[in-house]
């Protein structure tokens, strides 16, 4: 079952709507075409319409709700979805992409229906780091294999991409690579989304960008790069489209944050005379999430075997006059497990 099964036209008769509702089993259907959401009709709408004199041959468009509640994929965090069910008493929340099409439907019983999609853009995941900030966990397991609920962080990342149609994953490994190779064997990895996973082994640690050189020749077009310890909840296809529209060489996915300094700050003049005080000020800034969209040509800027982090590659592009842009996502649309306290927070988000 997929989202197309929930779409009907405005001309559909109520008797056919009831039959479709019985087939899909959720008491709600969407009205629109080309996955564009126009209205919603529920079994409750039909009952109320019958009481007003409508019959089974009436048009669905005459009784539908043309102001339905939905969430943009940009803002569809678990908290906001749960809040909608609790406060609005609705059966389902359609999640709509920036192009106006329904990407998934989340139901009040926890079931999720996704739009079947297909995207050839390659996804590269940097999974070779030592994860020293997560020791002693990473003394035993490489960071990508740390479990969150019933799956590893690496599986959660792949899942988020695959439900939006991405299927070609290239994972660069180094630290405890034998464990990662064993995990992706046919006997261990549950490839439930039928994706293609290719592992690339670094000989030496090459930072968050240097390992891309391993894929020179394999990458021939725009691609996505992600760290192995973050999850971004956004419309990846839309980010790629904006990257191309802006003619960027690299687009960094960023999240706005308001950081409060826990101390009073002091401003002085050249003679160290205090001229201003501010108690626990806050600073608004953009944070690098660890996800990027890049053009294939960026790999040519990396030397073979070079240790290079992404900020250095970005600066290299800027110095050469190549356009580098930022794409902002919602503050609560980013989960990071790079440090122990952040890992604990991320785990709470995945408790079933």
């Amino acid at each position: 079952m997929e989202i197309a099964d929930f779409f009907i036209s405005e001309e559909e008769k109520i008797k056919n709507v009831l039959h479709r509702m019985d087939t899909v089993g959720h008491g709600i259907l969407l009205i629109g075409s080309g996955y564009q959401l126009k209205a919603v009709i529920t079994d409750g709408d039909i009952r109320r319409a019958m009481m007003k004199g409508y019959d089974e041959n009436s048009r669905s468009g005459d009784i539908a709700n043309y102001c339905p509640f939905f969430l943009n994929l940009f803002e569809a965090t678990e908290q906001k979805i749960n809040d909608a069910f609790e406060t609005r008493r609705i059966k389902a929340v359609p999640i709509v992409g920036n192009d106006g099409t329904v990407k998934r439907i989340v139901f009040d019983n926890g079931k999720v229906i996704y739009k079947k999609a297909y995207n050839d853009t390659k996804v590269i995941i940097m999974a070779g780091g030592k994860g020293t900030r997560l020791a002693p966990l990473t003394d035993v397991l490489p960071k990508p294999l740390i479990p969150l609920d019933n799956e590893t962080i690496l599986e959660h990342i792949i899942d988020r991409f695959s439900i939006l149609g991405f299927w070609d994953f290239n994972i660069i490994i180094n630290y405890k690579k034998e464990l990662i190779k064993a995990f992706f064997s046919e006997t261990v990895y549950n490839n439930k989304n039928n994706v293609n996973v290719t592992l690339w082994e670094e000989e030496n640690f090459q930072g968050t960008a240097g390992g891309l050189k391993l894929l020179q020749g394999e990458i021939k077009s725009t691609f996505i790069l992600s760290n192995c310890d973050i999850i971004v909840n956004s419309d990846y296809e839309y980010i790629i489209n904006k990257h191309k529209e802006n003619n960027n060489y690299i687009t960094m996915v960023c999240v706005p944050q308001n950081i409060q300094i826990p101390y009073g700050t002091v401003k002085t003049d050249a003679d160290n005379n205090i001229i201003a005080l501010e108690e626990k000020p806050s600073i608004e800034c953009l944070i690098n999430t660890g996800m990027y969209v890049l053009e294939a040509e960026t790999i040519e800027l990396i030397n073979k075997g070079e240790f290079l982090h992404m900020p250095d590659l970005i600066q290299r592009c800027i110095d050469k006059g190549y356009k580098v842009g930022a794409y902002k996502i919602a503050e609560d649309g980013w989960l990071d497990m790079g440090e122990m306290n952040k890992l604990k927070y991320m785990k709470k988000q995945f408790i079933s």
Side-chain angles (χ1 to χ4, degrees), residues 26 33 62 144 226 229 249 273 283 290 302 321 328 338 348:
H26 288 282
S33 60
D62 292 334
S226 173
D229 55 4
Y249 220 64
N273 297 309
I283 301 173
I302 303 171
K328 300 177 187 178
K348 289 181 182 179

Side-chain angles (χ1 to χ4, degrees), residues 129-147 152 174-183 337 340 343 347:
K130 295 181 180 180
T132 53
R133 292 178 297 173
L134 289 177
L137 288 178
T138 46
D139 293 337
V140 180
L141 284 174
K143 184 165 56 175
L145 298 188
I146 291 176
T152 66
N174 192 324
Y175 180 68
K176 293 188 180 295
K177 60 187 177 183
E178 295 304 323
L179 289 177
I180 299 176
K181 288 163 65 176
F183 177 80
M337 59 164 276
M340 194 62 72
L343 172 62
K347 282 187 174 182

Side-chain angles (χ1 to χ4, degrees), residues 279-292:
E279 185 64 22
K280 298 180 180 178
S282 60
I283 301 173
E284 294 185 1
C285 58
L286 283 179
I287 302 295
N288 179 4
T289 64
M291 179 180 292
Y292 315 84

Side-chain angles (χ1 to χ4, degrees), residues 39-222:
V40 165
I41 184 169
T42 67
D43 49 9
D45 293 328
I46 295 175
R47 287 194 300 270
R48 288 186 289 273
M50 293 294 190
M51 293 176 62
K52 293 178 180 179
Y54 291 89
D55 59 36
E56 63 178 10
N57 289 311
S58 299
R59 293 171 65 253
S60 61
D62 292 334
I63 66 170
N65 174 16
Y66 281 83
C67 296
F69 177 81
F70 65 90
L71 287 173
N72 189 282
L73 192 58
F74 179 85
E75 60 182 357
T77 60
E78 296 294 331
Q79 185 63 52
K80 288 184 179 178
I81 293 172
N82 291 334
D83 287 347
F85 286 133
E86 185 175 341
T87 60
R88 295 175 177 270
R89 308 295 182 189
I90 52 181
K91 295 176 179 289
V93 177
I95 310 299
V96 178
N98 296 78
D99 59 357
T101 63
V102 178
K103 302 293 185 180
R104 64 180 187 264
I105 310 172
V106 183
F107 297 95
D108 55 359
N109 63 359
K111 187 172 182 179
V112 183
I113 302 294
Y114 298 102
K115 177 185 175 183
K116 301 300 181 184
Y118 188 85
N119 195 308
D120 274 332
T121 304
K122 292 181 182 293
V123 179
I124 300 176
I125 302 174
M126 287 294 185
K130 295 181 180 180
T132 53
R133 292 178 297 173
L134 289 177
L137 288 178
T138 46
D139 293 337
V140 180
L141 284 174
K143 184 165 56 175
L145 298 188
I146 291 176
L148 293 173
D149 195 17
N150 60 340
E151 289 188 327
T152 66
I153 176 63
L154 203 47
E155 288 174 285
H156 282 295
I157 294 171
I158 291 173
D159 287 347
R160 291 295 174 104
F161 277 100
S162 63
I163 63 176
L164 292 176
F166 296 84
W167 63 274
D168 193 350
F169 296 87
N170 295 266
I171 304 174
I172 298 175
I173 59 176
N174 192 324
Y175 180 68
K176 293 188 180 295
K177 60 187 177 183
E178 295 304 323
L179 289 177
I180 299 176
K181 288 163 65 176
F183 177 80
F184 280 102
S185 66
E186 292 183 2
T187 57
V188 178
Y189 178 53
N190 176 23
N191 192 356
K192 61 181 183 294
N193 294 314
N194 195 30
V195 298
N196 180 67
V197 175
T198 304
L199 301 179
W200 300 82
E201 300 180 42
E202 290 180 333
E203 292 183 6
N204 301 299
F205 290 105
Q206 293 181 241
T208 55
L212 289 175
K213 197 67 173 180
L214 295 170
L215 285 87
Q216 186 164 5
E218 294 289 332
I219 303 295
K220 296 180 172 62
S221 58
T222 306

Side-chain angles (χ1 to χ4, degrees), residues 250-309:
I250 298 177
T251 297
M252 176 190 291
V253 179
C254 299
V255 59
Q257 285 198 351
N258 193 302
I259 301 173
Q260 186 171 42
I261 298 174
Y263 309 102
T265 62
V266 179
K267 186 177 181 180
T268 62
D269 61 18
D271 297 320
N272 286 328
N273 297 309
I274 295 176
I275 57 176
L277 299 169
E278 189 171 4
E279 185 64 22
K280 298 180 180 178
S282 60
I283 301 173
E284 294 185 1
C285 58
L286 283 179
I287 302 295
N288 179 4
T289 64
M291 179 180 292
Y292 315 84
V293 181
L294 303 92
E295 291 303 304
E297 290 79 7
T298 56
I299 298 178
E300 298 175 6
L301 303 178
I302 303 171
N303 300 316
K304 185 176 180 181
E306 179 181 18
F307 182 94
L308 187 70
H309 282 315

